[in-house]
Amino acid sequence: MKRPDLALILATALTQTLGWGTLFTPFALVVQPMEADLGWSRALLNGAFTLGLLVAGALAIPVGRHVDREGGKLPLVGGPLLGAAGLVMWSTATHPAVFYLAWVVIGCAHATALWTPAMAVVVALAREPMRAITLITFLTGFTGTIFIPLNAALVGALGWRDALLVLAALECVAAAVAWWQFSAAPARVATPLPGGGLRAALRRPAFWGLALCFAGHAFIGTAMGAHLVPLLRELDLPEASVILLAALHGPFQVAARIGLFLLGTRASTQVVGVISTWLLPLGLLWLALAPAEFTALLPFVLFWAMADGLLTIVRSAGTAEILGREGYGAVTGALTLVSVGPRVAAPILVALIWEAQGGYGAVPWLLAAIGVLAALAFLYAVMSKEAAS
């Protein structure tokens, strides 16, 4: 791999690892200490997190347009500083209004510092974008492995308020790394051509195929993230088996990305996308039909994790391959915006199904059906692209 790509990859992987580890991971670990300290309800606390996701989604297109026109320096340097400010504000919260305002700021940081603008820069500057994105996702795949125990240790040792201040300092490190990354890189990413970019993409069937696919994947991902552990516990598995099955998602995901990286240019993003989108409903159907035993459920985790790991790459590199690089930031911002609603609604909808039916029995079937629709939508996007070329 060429040296400029390596510097871009390492800097992006570090800023993304720090960003996700400080701006996304801590919430689940701070909720219960905040409940005990402030007496606030879990619904009130989760409302702020939801607000942050909505703010991030609303800003996705304007931030993407800025990256297309002016480059990624401002969002990728300023975003972590916004995140640090939001974490400091969160650490001082004694009233819900301050807490919610902190999450508005953190939502702005999500939109400017995390993934979509960073991938727009990689797609524009990397000599081999797919390999670069694959390696970045491999490195960032260890974010939870690093930051879940780190955040838990910080909260346990310092309390949740001081723990958030430490995380704010780490976000300042991310800003410094981003500043270094752009110090010798072009400030501008691309110059949009008249009539191109987002407006042209919105008129293409392939865009809407990708939008439906990624929205379905977002729904499944957040539903599983919120409900996997209680779903497995409902099967009366031993607690050690439940935790191990959930924990294996990360290593299996990284293994799939390593395999894709080793294939290099021999792997077409579109073919990888078709395979991974069908692996997702296959894994969910396996969950619905398999006996409630650890070994019988391993293929479910394997298929789900492989699909999840590969689709993260397809969402970035595949969009460029199918829709082109012109206006990439705004186009991927629009795809992110389409996924916000499903991402926010999924945990609530699955919880309502659980309450109505007294269990999770119907949930794997529902998610598998959504997975099939997402796979068909991706296939439609690929076929529409080929028909147009």
Side-chain angles (χ1 to χ4, degrees):
M1 185 165 291
K2 302 285 175 83
R3 189 166 211 154
D5 273 14
L6 185 59
L8 177 66
I9 287 164
L10 293 176
T12 303
L14 181 55
T15 58
Q16 293 306 294
T17 298
L18 290 171
W20 287 101
T22 58
L23 298 177
F24 191 84
T25 305
F27 184 82
L29 299 165
V30 173
V31 166
Q32 288 181 313
M34 287 186 72
E35 284 178 334
D37 186 21
L38 301 171
W40 297 350
S41 71
R42 190 160 299 188
L44 185 151
L45 291 166
N46 280 274
F49 182 75
T50 301
L51 176 62
L53 293 179
L54 293 172
V55 169
L59 292 176
I61 293 176
V63 171
R65 281 186 172 141
H66 176 88
V67 174
D68 291 334
R69 294 169 180 167
E70 306 296 336
K73 185 173 184 178
L74 179 61
L76 293 178
V77 175
L81 296 176
L82 274 176
L87 289 166
V88 171
M89 192 180 303
W90 181 3
S91 75
T92 66
T94 56
H95 190 280
V98 176
F99 178 53
Y100 272 65
L101 181 59
W103 269 94
V104 169
V105 175
I106 293 172
C108 295
H110 277 218
T112 50
L114 298 184
W115 204 250
T116 301
M119 291 306 102
V121 171
V122 172
V123 165
L125 300 182
R127 285 173 169 79
E128 299 176 73
M130 181 174 168
R131 294 200 77 199
I133 291 169
T134 302
L135 187 51
I136 290 167
T137 57
F138 164 64
L139 295 172
T140 56
F142 295 99
T143 300
T145 306
I146 297 167
F147 274 92
I148 289 175
L150 175 60
N151 287 328
L154 288 172
V155 171
L158 304 175
W160 66 271
R161 294 186 187 275
D162 288 342
L164 292 173
L165 293 177
V166 173
L167 298 180
L170 290 176
E171 269 296 84
C172 292
V173 173
V177 173
W179 180 272
W180 169 82
Q181 174 187 340
F182 285 100
S183 62
R188 295 179 65 81
V189 170
T191 301
L193 300 176
L198 179 58
R199 281 182 296 174
L202 291 173
R203 293 193 292 268
R204 294 179 59 183
F207 173 90
W208 295 105
L210 290 178
L212 181 58
C213 174
F214 298 156
H217 182 232
F219 184 97
I220 293 168
T222 52
M224 293 298 289
H227 293 277
L228 176 62
V229 170
L231 186 154
L232 293 174
R233 284 174 177 159
E234 189 176 275
L235 299 176
D236 291 329
L237 291 167
E239 185 66 12
S241 296
V242 169
I243 299 303
L244 183 55
L245 284 169
L248 283 172
H249 178 271
F252 285 159
Q253 189 180 54
V254 170
R257 291 169 178 170
I258 293 173
L260 182 59
F261 180 78
L262 293 175
L263 285 172
T265 55
R266 289 171 291 176
S268 161
T269 311
Q270 295 175 50
V271 172
V272 172
V274 170
I275 293 171
S276 58
T277 52
W278 284 106
L279 277 174
L280 188 56
L282 175 61
L284 292 163
L285 284 172
W286 196 289
L287 173 62
L289 295 169
E293 300 170 2
F294 176 81
T295 53
L297 290 169
L298 275 175
F300 147 67
V301 180
L302 176 63
F303 295 149
W304 171 43
M306 288 178 63
D308 216 20
L310 296 175
L311 278 168
T312 302
I313 298 165
V314 170
R315 192 161 46 239
S316 300
T319 299
E321 190 173 304
I322 293 171
L323 298 177
R325 295 197 192 189
E326 185 185 341
Y328 178 88
V331 170
T332 52
L335 291 171
T336 298
L337 180 59
V338 172
S339 297
V340 170
R343 180 177 289 110
V344 171
I348 300 169
L349 180 59
V350 171
L352 291 174
I353 293 172
W354 178 82
E355 289 182 359
Q357 299 203 331
Y360 285 107
V363 170
W365 294 100
L366 170 66
L367 297 182
I370 293 172
V372 169
L373 289 176
L376 291 172
F378 186 84
L379 193 59
Y380 173 73
V382 171
M383 293 174 65
S384 298
K385 184 252 184 182
E386 291 176 351
S389 58

